[in-house]
Every structure is written in structure tokens, then in C-alpha cells.
Amino acid sequence: GFWSSGRMRYCAACDNGYQCTYPATEPSPPKDLCRVGGYCSPSSRFVPCPAGSYSNTTGGGSQFACDTCPGGHFCLQETANFVPNICPPGYFCPPGTRYGIQYPCPGGTYNDQHGAQA
């Protein structure tokens, strides 16, 4: 992600949250907002949200664009929409769960419902 107005002698780095595809003539072109599921920092590099978190907005410029996955759901790496990732029966998913079968019900217990948090 670099840009130049044409009057500049050198190209400058684009703003965080933008990828600036060639040819970019401004530091934060609306068409080049970083996509959902991660953030762009530095501007030329997309960084996916780690498992256990998600980002459902464009233009993320730092790791703070990724929110903790809510309880009852799991979030794989680069999750943009956690809603379909409902915790399966036989497992529970506290906030920040990375995959659906991360937390099985302890021995001697069961859960026959989707979306259990504890």
C-alpha cells in the first residue's frame, strides 16, 4: 500500500486500514478499505483475526479491529460473521472459543442443545 498524488517525488505509505491498490492517488481510497475478518497494518498487508475473535467491519487498522467471539459460538481464523458458527451439542463455547469442539462436556455430563456457553 503506497500512494502518490502525482506531485510528490516519492510514494508514501497508505493509511492503516487501507490496502491501496495500484495506482493509488490518495492515502485512504474508499475502494481499498481493508476487508472484514481482519485488519491492514501495515497498509499493504492483510492480517486475519486470530481464531477466537472476529471482525465484521471494513477498514480495520490494528488488532483492536478484532473482537472476542461471543459465548455460544466459535470463531475460526479470519471470521467475519460468527452467527452461523453455533456451538454444537456435546460441547460448550465460552467467549473466545476458537473451534466448535474445543470444549467437550466433562465426563458424567451432557448437553443436547446448540449454543451452550458453559
Side-chain angles (χ1 to χ4, degrees):
F2 294 92
W3 73 282
S4 174
S5 67
R7 295 174 296 218
M8 299 168 61
R9 184 172 177 159
Y10 300 100
C11 293
C14 290
D15 293 340
N16 281 343
Y18 294 84
Q19 289 193 284
C20 290
T21 55
Y22 177 81
T25 57
E26 59 183 302
S28 50
K31 69 177 182 63
D32 289 334
L33 272 171
C34 193
R35 69 182 189 265
V36 297
Y39 59 94
C40 295
S41 179
S43 57
S44 61
R45 188 171 139 242
F46 177 78
V47 180
C49 288
S53 65
Y54 73 100
S55 175
N56 60 1
T57 58
T58 58
S62 74
Q63 71 271 15
F64 299 111
C66 300
D67 295 316
T68 301
C69 194
H73 295 83
F74 61 93
C75 294
L76 304 171
Q77 181 176 322
E78 201 174 332
T79 292
N81 180 8
F82 63 83
V83 174
N85 298 343
I86 300 171
C87 200
Y91 299 86
F92 64 99
C93 297
T97 299
R98 298 184 310 255
Y99 51 94
I101 57 173
Q102 184 175 353
Y103 299 105
C105 290
T109 67
Y110 78 98
N111 169 35
D112 60 356
Q113 303 293 312
H114 288 87
Q117 298 183 41

